[in-house]
Amino acid sequence: MSAQSLDSAAHPLVIIGSGFASFCLAAHLLETHALKPTDITIIGPPPFGYGAAYSCTHGDYRLNVRAQIMRIFADQPDDFLSWAATEIEDSEAHNPQGAFYRRSDFARYLSHLSKRIKGFDKLNFINSHVASLGRQEKGWQLNLASGDSLIAHQLVLATGNPVPRWPCDIPAGLSAEKVVEIPWSGKWLECVDIRDKVVFVGGGLTAMDGIYSLAKKGHMGRIEIVMPFPVLPPKQTDWKIETPVRWPDDISSASQFLKFFSNTLGSRNWTDPAWQSRFEALRIDLNSAWQGLDDTAKKQLLRHMGHWWQLARFRSAPQNFDAAQAMINKGQLHLIKGRVSGLKEQGSKLIVRLQDGGELAADKVVNCTGPAGCPLIANLLEAEIIAPDISQRGARIAPDYKVLDSLKKPYDNLHALGAMTANSLGDVIGAGTIAKQAEKLAAILAPLFR
Ligand SMILES: Cc1cc2nc3c(=O)[nH]c(=O)nc-3n(C[C@H](O)[C@H](O)[C@H](O)COP(=O)(O)OP(=O)(O)OC[C@H]3O[C@@H](n4cnc5c(N)ncnc54)[C@H](O)[C@@H]3O)c2cc1C
């Protein structure tokens, strides 16, 4: 990709963010709609497509779904799998549940696609960060961290998963090797002694990545996970892709949503392949049912089943789950019910304070609380350029991906895509759902450039 010198002419289409969502949108615009690559500008850190999920280089960090689910083009469901057959050597990837490859290998596949898709090398790529943006007569003015600015006619926000932040105040001066705020790259594992006592704050898939990697290193120290509900994500099974469940059109309350969901799901055993197949079939068209709910109903559902949903939906790669279970069985891994309220250093140890007054001593504390807030979106909300979603931290987005202004009127030249749309549009977080969303947004945008 050529570096873009910032000229005064407006850029026809700019995508802010260079993660997986942005990559999928560019792929669909080029491959399916044959857009002129020089009309598309991407702003964000390289390598293009890697983002929060696939830029980790740690060899033990794996995809949390089997290879067939990681598809970018709906009509090429086995493309990653076929590529992997000749390009990945990883005997540990294979389980009865399918192949769960390393995330760094999926990143290599994205690089391979970027060479295969015609026009990728001619996209304008700006390795920078958009610090702020404002409306302009011709479109949007983007102010970059580098001090440059540019104008975009059409703008897409694909800022994804903002890096995690501590859920409590942390005393200044603590070594970043002891208190790990952003664990996604896996680099922190290089500084763990085999006998260290490790406390994870939060028990989702990031903690599971850490536990699997520690197990692979032969870790001997005690491990504790502090979590509000002491349950680990279930293990992926070899669930089957079933016909999507059709949600009724007239669901308008949280109770109707829940009733339909539980009745259709039937069993409560989330370790059963049949349960996981049904759950996934329910998820396919869930977003339209979610979008038919008002804010009150959405908030009720998030309160009632948000935590459970995160676990049911973000199931663990079998390798990770088995490693955690083995550690629990031998008394090395402990799930602690609670929330962390503070952290301090005491001699050579760290002391983790819990909201109920309890304390845990540790050598390393790893923050696995998930994505925090996006500074750019926060600026736009504060400047009342966009309307907030139900979390009050994200952008409110219409079903056709248009971002809403502070009066909840859609902008014609501002769209959003990817993980950042989940609160407004439903369960848009995994690679497969994001790729489908990118396909739809590409079909909306492409006619504007003909
Ligand atoms: C650690 C982790 C592991 C995951 N593993 C899987 C998995 O195995 N399988 C799966 O299906 N899903 C996985 N996911 C889910 C993941 O959300 C999606 O698969 C997908 O990667 C999200 O893509 P995105 O582009 O929306 O967000 P991101 O990948 O977060 O990309 C957003 C990009 O925007 C950039 N950006 C943000 N703000 C600005 C700005 N102001 N200016 C310029 N650039 C900006 C960021 O630097 C980043 O590069 C994982 C998520 C995480 C966080």
Side-chain angles (χ1 to χ4, degrees):
M1 274 157 275
S2 55
Q4 171 77 10
S5 60
L6 307 183
D7 52 40
S8 54
H11 293 240
L13 172 63
V14 175
I15 309 173
I16 304 181
S18 51
F20 182 73
S22 173
F23 183 96
C24 289
L25 179 60
H28 280 284
L29 287 169
L30 294 176
E31 182 102 329
T32 318
H33 301 280
L35 231 72
K36 217 162 96 193
T38 48
D39 279 353
I40 306 171
T41 301
I42 290 114
I43 306 175
F48 187 24
Y50 288 22
Y54 313 117
S55 53
C56 69
T57 48
H58 198 284
D60 294 327
Y61 276 25
R62 291 187 177 276
L63 296 170
N64 54 40
V65 288
R66 59 180 189 258
Q68 291 92 329
I69 310 293
M70 301 297 292
R71 55 178 73 164
I72 288 159
F73 296 103
D75 59 350
Q76 300 169 28
D78 290 332
D79 197 56
F80 172 49
L81 199 63
S82 313
W83 177 86
T86 56
E87 302 298 325
I88 302 181
E89 270 188 41
D90 179 5
S91 57
E92 290 177 34
H94 303 277
N95 298 280
Q97 297 85 353
F100 290 73
Y101 289 110
R102 299 183 192 102
R103 294 217 290 276
S104 54
D105 281 330
F106 184 71
R108 282 202 297 123
Y109 166 71
L110 293 176
S111 295
H112 152 79
L113 272 187
S114 70
K115 292 190 190 89
R116 199 179 79 190
I117 296 173
K118 205 168 149 234
F120 246 81
D121 57 341
K122 299 202 172 56
L123 293 167
N124 303 307
F125 192 90
I126 301 175
N127 175 5
S128 188
H129 192 83
V130 178
S132 64
L133 59 95
R135 273 172 295 170
Q136 271 263 342
E137 205 186 322
K138 283 201 267 176
W140 293 92
Q141 174 167 331
L142 283 64
N143 304 312
L144 307 188
S146 59
D148 290 317
S149 65
L150 60 104
I151 306 287
H153 275 314
Q154 281 288 336
L155 184 59
V156 176
L157 302 174
T159 51
N161 299 288
V163 290
R165 294 292 170 219
W166 287 110
C168 56
D169 289 337
I170 296 285
L174 286 182
S175 140
E177 287 185 2
K178 290 177 93 173
V179 287
V180 184
E181 184 169 33
I182 307 171
W184 285 345
S185 71
K187 278 204 167 308
W188 62 274
L189 284 148
E190 290 163 15
C191 308
V192 180
D193 184 88
I194 200 163
R195 284 183 186 76
D196 275 350
K197 161 128 183 259
V198 182
V199 169
F200 289 99
V201 183
L205 294 184
T206 301
M208 296 297 272
D209 282 334
I211 287 163
Y212 174 65
S213 308
L214 289 173
K216 293 265 293 176
K217 278 175 68 152
H219 193 75
M220 291 162 66
R222 182 179 165 100
I223 302 174
E224 289 166 339
I225 310 181
V226 182
M227 54 210 302
F229 304 95
V231 182
L232 291 180
K235 173 170 155 175
Q236 289 280 15
T237 68
D238 60 344
W239 56 273
K240 304 286 175 293
I241 299 178
E242 289 184 353
T243 316
V245 170
R246 193 173 145 58
W247 285 73
D249 296 328
D250 56 353
I251 289 189
S252 58
S253 69
S255 59
Q256 285 172 328
F257 187 101
L258 261 180
K259 193 168 165 205
F260 178 78
F261 178 74
S262 339
N263 288 348
T264 314
L265 199 50
S267 136
R268 287 175 178 265
N269 179 7
W270 66 9
T271 62
D272 179 3
W275 185 96
Q276 295 191 4
S277 305
R278 199 86 184 127
F279 178 77
E280 291 301 324
L282 266 159
R283 273 188 55 218
I284 297 171
D285 288 335
L286 169 140
N287 288 354
S288 48
W290 177 261
Q291 287 159 29
L293 298 173
D294 63 17
D295 283 10
T296 309
K298 284 180 182 163
K299 283 185 200 159
Q300 281 170 341
L301 281 170
L302 285 180
R303 249 195 328 271
H304 187 75
M305 61 187 295
H307 187 83
W308 176 90
W309 185 269
Q310 294 291 330
L311 288 169
R313 186 236 169 289
F314 287 113
R315 298 187 296 276
S316 173
Q319 294 92 327
N320 296 16
F321 184 89
D322 292 344
Q325 196 55 56
M327 281 184 170
I328 289 175
N329 293 347
K330 65 178 179 194
Q332 184 183 9
L333 171 62
H334 300 263
L335 311 186
I336 313 280
K337 182 174 175 3
R339 288 177 194 273
V340 169
S341 60
L343 188 63
K344 64 176 179 185
E345 202 163 26
Q346 195 169 292
S348 63
K349 290 280 181 196
L350 296 163
I351 303 295
V352 179
R353 272 197 307 271
L354 306 183
Q355 273 178 1
D356 67 1
E359 288 190 342
L360 304 169
D363 298 298
K364 296 264 179 304
V365 180
V366 187
N367 175 23
C368 300
T369 52
C374 170
L376 179 62
I377 300 293
N379 284 347
L380 293 172
L381 287 170
E382 200 180 314
E384 298 187 352
I385 292 175
I386 59 172
D389 65 14
I390 50 168
S391 73
Q392 302 298 315
R393 294 194 313 175
R396 185 172 285 259
I397 295 147
D400 60 359
Y401 313 117
K402 285 181 177 160
V403 179
L404 304 187
D405 71 13
S406 57
L407 301 173
K408 299 194 183 160
K409 193 168 155 278
Y411 283 110
D412 282 332
N413 57 1
L414 182 63
H415 293 80
L417 174 70
M420 62 162 296
T421 67
N423 273 331
S424 293
L425 302 186
D427 191 353
V428 191
I429 298 171
T433 331
I434 289 176
K436 269 191 236 152
Q437 198 189 45
E439 185 180 349
K440 289 186 193 154
L441 180 56
I444 292 171
L445 293 174
L448 306 177
F449 298 92
R450 293 219 176 91

